[in-house]
Structure formats: C-alpha cells, structure tokens
Amino acid sequence: MKKILVLFIMSIFLFGIEPIKKITFNGYISKVTFNKNYLIVGLESGNIIIKDFNTLKDIYTIKLPEIHDFMDDLIAMPIYSLDINKNKLLILAGGENSKRELFIFDINIKKLNHIWSSKDTFMKAKFVGNKIFFGYLSDEVSLYDLNLNKFLYKIQVGHYVFSTYKLNENKTLAAIGDESGAIKVLEVKNGKKIAELKGFNKEQTLSLDFKKNFILNASSDKRIAIYNINTKNTELELVAKFLPYGATLSPKADKLAVQYNEKNDIIVYDKYQTKLAILKGHTMALNGINFMSNNKILSFSPAEILIWNLNGKN
C-alpha cells in the first residue's frame, strides 16, 4: 500500500547524529566524486582537489585554465561534471564562447589530457567502461566511444530542460530526469527507452538515485518518490518541507536520506515507514548526498563535505 508521509521533526522518535568528519576547502565546492581510494572535489575557483580517501590528505591539485567572460575578463572555468573510474578522472568543464571542454586526468602519472571541445550543451558525463554517457541541456543523451573517437548514438529523451541522470550499479541502465518530473529509463548501450515512471512527481527533478530495481526521484514540488521499475509503481511517497536538493538510496535500497528543512538537516528513513535519524551540521543548502555504504553517508554543500556513520561510530 502506498504511504504518503509528511516530513516533520518528531524528536521523540528521532535521534540526531553529528558528522564523524568535516572537510572544508579554500573556496566553494561545485562538484564531488569519489571511489574507495580517492575523494575528488571541484571548486568554483576552477581547481580540482584530489585527496586520499583514507587519510584525507591532498594528493594533487588540478588547475584548469581560465577563460574569458562576455566582458573579456578572465574567470574560472566552470566545472559541470566529475567522474572517477579507477585512476582516471573525467572532467566536463565550460570553455571559451560557452563551449564544453572534455578532459581525462590520469591520477597515477598526474597528466591532464584534453580530449575535445564542443559547442553541444553537455551538462553531465559519466564513464561507462571505455565509453562516456552524456546528458545535454536540450534533454538529449548520447554515448561516446573513447577508442573509436566517435558518438555511437544521440537521442532526444524528452521535450523539456534536462535536470540530471543516474546510472544503475552496473551501468547498463540510465534514469533521466528533466523539468517534467517524469523519469525515463534507457538502455545505455543503445539508448532504447524501456520505461517511463511518473505520477507522484509533478515538477522538475532535482535529485535522482538508482539502486537495484528502484529509482528515487526528488523534485522541485518537494515530492520524493521511490519507483519500482518492474511494476512502474511507487513504493514510497514523501512530501518534504524544503526543496530536496539532495536525496539518495542506500546500496541495499532499504534506506533513503533527503534534505528536508531550511536548516539543511538530513532525515534518514527506512524505505517503508520508520524515521531513523536526523543528520545535523550543514551550514548551506545541499548539493548532493551519497551513501558510501549501507550505514555511511557523504553529503556536501558549497561550504563543506560531511561524512556520517548511522551507527554513531567514528
């Protein structure tokens, strides 16, 4: 049965958790990616900081070139997307005359390779093996083969403005979100649409997650839903008190975490009904939340990265 849950503070049932780590930088945080070895942070200054994820010590700083704005003044290159695959870092950034610049940085040899420039309005890029899956502002997606140096396909997903996408764990499927609030699910290898998930979310998708057969959609009407791609029905429906800029599912898809109020607190829910915890500590609205494991969460705002342990241990 569907459950419509209104998010509100019930301190008698919830316990607050403080972060076990707080990481700040000399500048506002734009994008974050990580794997088990590296924490990588793109700053609004155009610098990209690579940290050892175990020690949190800096390994290297990539300094992207400056570009000219419409007044011909030098400004930092905006970072649209970061992705890590083993020791390779994929960087999608803004170039001169609103072009997009694609780079791949080899962490082992500390070498930045410029792949190409494009006039296309790419907004997000992720590794899929030796290929790259792109999302465009124009609500299109494409798959680019690095070995063949060509696009394998480019398709129109919808007729709205693109918001974001999320790949499933084995990168065979992509969930695409846009201004409509509906989620289109595609096969990554050929762009074939296999499902459209809609009903509860009515406005622009702000945050997406894709774990197992479940897709979490958080939209600008403050609605958060978990859709089952097999049944195309919702498993859970939430109404938040604040724009859910960050929302995520746990690896087992049995928990969700979402920014739920103007104080930038995060609430952790059991997938079905139980409020598990409130995570406090952010000083600005969130840009993203990710489960690192089933009981460990990384969240970030422009001001800081916070890491939480739901078991309360360091």
Side-chain angles (χ1 to χ4, degrees), residues 261-284:
N261 66 15
E262 69 281 359
K263 296 180 180 179
N264 310 312
D265 295 336
I266 300 166
I267 193 166
V268 181
Y269 259 83
D270 177 272
K271 181 182 171 182
Y272 300 101
Q273 59 183 336
T274 308
K275 303 178 184 74
L276 300 177
I278 295 177
L279 311 182
K280 295 178 174 289
H282 274 293
T283 60
M284 297 180 70

Side-chain angles (χ1 to χ4, degrees), residues 114-134:
H114 182 251
I115 307 303
W116 39 248
S117 300
S118 174
K119 292 182 179 179
D120 285 323
T121 57
F122 300 115
M123 299 303 294
K124 190 168 185 175
K126 295 289 182 183
F127 280 121
V128 181
N130 63 346
K131 302 176 181 66
I132 302 171
F133 187 75
F134 288 99

Side-chain angles (χ1 to χ4, degrees), residues 122-297:
F122 300 115
M123 299 303 294
K124 190 168 185 175
K126 295 289 182 183
F127 280 121
V128 181
N130 63 346
K131 302 176 181 66
I132 302 171
F133 187 75
F134 288 99
Y136 299 66
L137 184 65
S138 52
D139 221 5
E140 298 170 290
V141 296
S142 65
L143 187 65
Y144 180 81
D145 191 307
L146 286 165
N147 292 339
L148 298 177
N149 193 29
K150 70 174 186 178
F151 286 93
L152 303 180
Y153 66 78
K154 179 183 178 182
I155 63 166
Q156 190 77 44
V157 178
H159 301 285
Y160 296 85
V161 175
F162 170 83
S163 293
T164 187
Y165 71 74
K166 187 72 175 184
L167 303 178
N168 65 348
E169 293 129 311
N170 59 13
K171 300 186 177 183
T172 58
L173 298 176
I176 317 297
D178 57 28
E179 283 187 329
S180 71
I183 302 300
K184 291 83 173 177
V185 183
L186 312 177
E187 291 184 351
V188 170
K189 64 181 179 182
N190 54 24
K192 179 182 177 182
K193 180 179 172 182
I194 64 168
E196 182 166 346
L197 309 174
K198 60 183 179 179
F200 188 67
N201 303 85
K202 304 296 185 183
E203 296 182 7
Q204 178 186 7
T205 294
L206 298 178
S207 187
L208 268 180
D209 206 357
F210 196 162
K211 301 286 173 58
K212 298 186 179 295
N213 292 317
F214 301 100
I215 294 174
L216 175 64
N217 182 13
S219 50
S220 60
D221 52 7
K222 304 178 185 176
R223 295 183 172 205
I224 302 108
I226 298 175
Y227 293 87
N228 185 320
I229 64 172
N230 293 328
T231 66
K232 299 181 177 61
N233 294 324
T234 55
E235 299 279 330
L236 179 66
E237 298 174 351
L238 308 175
V239 179
K241 288 187 175 292
F242 192 73
L243 293 172
Y245 291 115
T248 184
L249 279 172
S250 64
K252 294 180 181 178
D254 60 349
K255 300 185 187 77
L256 64 150
V258 59
Q259 178 179 351
Y260 80 104
N261 66 15
E262 69 281 359
K263 296 180 180 179
N264 310 312
D265 295 336
I266 300 166
I267 193 166
V268 181
Y269 259 83
D270 177 272
K271 181 182 171 182
Y272 300 101
Q273 59 183 336
T274 308
K275 303 178 184 74
L276 300 177
I278 295 177
L279 311 182
K280 295 178 174 289
H282 274 293
T283 60
M284 297 180 70
L286 273 64
N287 285 345
I289 313 174
N290 292 280
F291 272 92
M292 300 167 59
S293 67
N294 223 54
N295 288 302
K296 208 166 189 178
I297 290 174

